Amino acid sequence: WAHFARDQQVDDPESTLSLYTALLRLRREHDLGLSELTWLPGYGNEIVAFQTTGGFIVIGNAGSEPIGLPDGAEVIVASSPISDGILPPDTTVWLRA
């Protein structure tokens, strides 16, 4: 488990620590902890999708198939690489509408 230690992840931009640090910074900068959210329709049972009052969209793909992202949305942060507007399985993305 040593590779999960903070001192091993602190200088790795692809680490879980870096991902969570970026998410917490965005949450603080945009008061996302105070935002209201609206569940987005049109996604299956394996997808979590909502939009905040601050204009952020969060989509989590817990399914086994990739899904398309909304047209024109800007990727702010993702838990895995995103390419060609496709959200892979087991990946969550924060977008700006």
Side-chain angles (χ1 to χ4, degrees), residues 13-35:
E14 302 297 320
S15 71
T16 301
L17 176 64
S18 293
L19 173 65
Y20 276 82
T21 300
L23 294 172
L24 289 169
R25 179 183 45 78
L26 286 168
R27 182 176 186 240
R28 188 174 46 254
E29 287 174 1
H30 299 281
D31 291 327
L32 296 177
L34 303 174
S35 295

Side-chain angles (χ1 to χ4, degrees), residues 26-27 29-40 49-58 94-97:
L26 286 168
R27 182 176 186 240
E29 287 174 1
H30 299 281
D31 291 327
L32 296 177
L34 303 174
S35 295
E36 293 185 27
L37 63 87
T38 304
W39 297 105
L40 297 176
F50 60 87
Q51 184 166 2
T52 69
T53 52
F56 282 86
I57 297 172
V58 176
W94 286 23
L95 308 163
R96 183 161 307 189

Side-chain angles (χ1 to χ4, degrees), residues 54-78:
F56 282 86
I57 297 172
V58 176
I59 302 175
N61 184 356
S64 59
E65 297 295 323
I67 63 167
L69 294 174
D71 290 336
E74 173 191 7
V75 175
I76 303 300
V77 67

